[in-house]
Amino acid sequence: METKQKDAPFFSDICRIACGGLCCDPWWGIISYSVIKKGGSSNLASFKQELQDGIISRVRRIREAYITNETLAKPLFDAPERYNVIVRGISGLGQAIRLDLLAMFAFRCRFLSPEKSCLIHPSINNGKEIRPPHCAFTGSITAKQGEQGYCRIIHAADGAQGAAIDEAITAEKGAAGRHYDEGFATVEEAASSVIERLKRHCASNAPAKSGLNATEAGRNDPCPCGSGKKYKKCHGA
């Protein structure tokens, strides 16, 4: 295995033989971002559309960035198979609410063969590098954990310990499988999951902790927490 070539930008034997292209099957696009929901838990339908538009724009950004480095560039991905948008935090901002999100999109690379080999990898492409820079850095032995290009499997293999490689592969498969199963097949479902998480938060924290102005709610108005009940039968009781 090519485990000791510190200056090599790729480790073909590990990626293609030991690992089997695990990080590309599926390939995960991960983006952290925040959104601001004004007006507390009101107008959730319009906010859901805003969430969907945000997810779609970030998917587009990834697809436009991942193209082959050649005259007639080709995109690596079609639409994601799974959309997993995780709410990492919710905080009140006066009459607004801030949601910190982690979007994870499971793509299928067009250049991953049925045998799980990268069809544009330099090692099987006569040394020619046409992968986008983001792919070229994958598997860098110099990358530290949390940095672009860090790979648990590559770093386990650097110690030339078969058991460590097997453990890293098992852990990677488990994490990828969990994220895939927790994701959704459509953008709408992913946005709905965020809305439900917001409703639960507001129901547990309104009106004092979520920034919702309960004093403006009439007893027969919908409760600001988003429960769907009248204020008098919810937080106004």
Side-chain angles (χ1 to χ4, degrees):
M1 287 189 178
E2 302 171 35
T3 58
K4 293 298 181 180
Q5 299 179 27
K6 298 286 186 180
D7 56 344
F10 50 84
F11 295 75
S12 61
D13 285 350
I14 296 172
C15 295
R16 295 170 54 209
I17 300 174
C19 174
L22 182 60
C23 64
C24 297
D25 185 32
W27 184 92
W28 287 93
I30 303 175
I31 300 180
S32 296
Y33 65 103
S34 298
V35 294
I36 304 298
K37 170 67 178 72
K38 297 180 180 180
S41 60
S42 62
N43 300 320
L44 290 182
S46 61
F47 183 57
K48 178 181 176 181
Q49 185 60 56
E50 181 182 336
L51 287 171
Q52 291 180 204
D53 292 343
I55 294 171
I56 291 171
S57 69
R58 285 165 175 82
V59 168
R60 183 185 305 114
R61 186 187 310 170
I62 292 174
R63 293 183 63 194
E64 291 175 349
Y66 283 81
I67 58 176
T68 57
N69 182 26
E70 50 189 339
T71 303
L72 296 176
K74 305 179 187 67
L76 269 62
F77 309 123
D78 293 313
E81 281 190 359
R82 305 290 284 179
Y83 302 81
N84 191 355
V85 183
I86 301 169
V87 180
R88 305 179 74 180
I90 302 178
S91 55
L93 296 172
Q95 294 303 304
I97 299 176
R98 169 176 168 155
L99 292 89
D100 297 316
L101 307 177
L102 178 67
M104 306 176 67
F105 309 121
F107 292 95
R108 293 293 174 182
C109 181
R110 294 176 174 178
F111 299 100
L112 187 67
S113 74
E115 294 75 29
K116 309 305 180 185
S117 291
C118 174
L119 299 178
I120 56 173
H121 197 286
S123 64
I124 57 175
N125 197 31
N126 296 321
K128 187 177 180 180
E129 178 61 277
I130 63 171
R131 296 176 298 171
H134 314 286
C135 285
F137 288 122
T138 298
S140 172
I141 197 65
T142 59
K144 297 178 181 179
Q145 190 167 6
E147 296 180 347
Q148 184 182 53
Y150 176 79
C151 173
R152 288 192 294 269
I153 299 168
I154 291 295
H155 281 251
D158 187 49
Q161 298 179 4
I165 298 174
D166 292 341
E167 290 175 4
I169 290 175
T170 298
E172 192 68 24
K173 285 182 177 179
R178 183 174 66 256
H179 292 316
Y180 191 93
D181 292 340
E182 292 174 351
F184 300 92
T186 68
V187 173
E188 182 177 6
E189 290 175 316
S192 294
S193 72
V194 176
I195 293 294
E196 290 304 314
R197 176 69 176 83
L198 175 60
K199 287 181 178 180
R200 292 197 300 272
H201 171 84
C202 291
S204 299
N205 295 276
K209 297 181 181 180
S210 66
L212 303 176
N213 191 349
T215 61
E216 297 180 0
R219 288 183 56 75
N220 291 313
D221 291 337
C223 186
C225 76
S227 66
K229 300 178 181 179
K230 291 183 178 181
Y231 178 64
K232 66 182 180 182
K233 293 186 176 181
C234 194
H235 284 88

